[in-house]
Amino acid sequence: MDVFTTHAEFLDVNCYAVRAEGRSDCILIDSGYDCAPGLERLLAEEELDPQAIFLTHGHPDHILGLTNVLARWDVPVHLGGADRYRLDDPASTLSPQFAPMLAPLVADWTTPDVIDVHDGRSFEIAGLTITAVAAPGHTEGSTLLRVSDGDEEIIFTGDVVFAGAIGRVDLPGGDAQAMQDSLRLFADLPDVPIYPGHGPASRVGRELASNPFF
């Protein structure tokens, strides 16, 4: 399995393309505001053909690239159902101080159709199995995405867990107790690579051993 990373400069979001070994079709993980040009270059260089987008949660920095991405690749979008409302008015779902900054970014926003992703639901796409694990706390619909090609597994953690840190719980929809409950899920996960919404990759075991929030 191959993981390719691009970065949206707006709030430095990691956007990923994932393919099974030996295949040209792939899935995309998250869609930062200005990710489309870099993503298009990456997919062209690697000769990748996206089949679906999975969003780890509904915060604007992870979704606002959808308008441009979907204009180029007409693929289904998947999102934790509890965050679906965030797509209707992205600028309103963060704290008030963010609204003026987001206003120009949502001027051409169109709410996309999405497929609800609920806890335990699996999808078979592009030779990959994508299984959702509900992990609220950062947002109500935050979701861990366990991706397997049958030989190996990786996990996309969004803004639940970063290398050495965890996501904020003080924004609208955040919940400190829910986050603690979600962090307990990691004790039962295999020691596999994790790819967060911001910052470098890590492993489940490394975070359990050294992340001060566990």
Side-chain angles (χ1 to χ4, degrees), residues 2 7 11 15 59 88 93 107 136 153 159 169 179:
D2 297 311
H7 298 275
L11 298 182
C15 305
H59 272 160
D88 294 333
T93 64
E153 180 179 341
D159 287 6
V169 296
M179 178 65 89

Side-chain angles (χ1 to χ4, degrees), residues 29-30 54-58 62 78-80 83 139 141-145 156-160 195 197:
I29 308 289
D30 284 341
F54 286 81
L55 303 173
T56 58
H57 63 293
H62 291 257
H78 304 72
L79 174 68
D83 272 7
T139 67
S142 288
T143 303
L144 308 178
L145 298 169
F156 294 89
T157 58
D159 287 6
V160 178
Y195 293 86

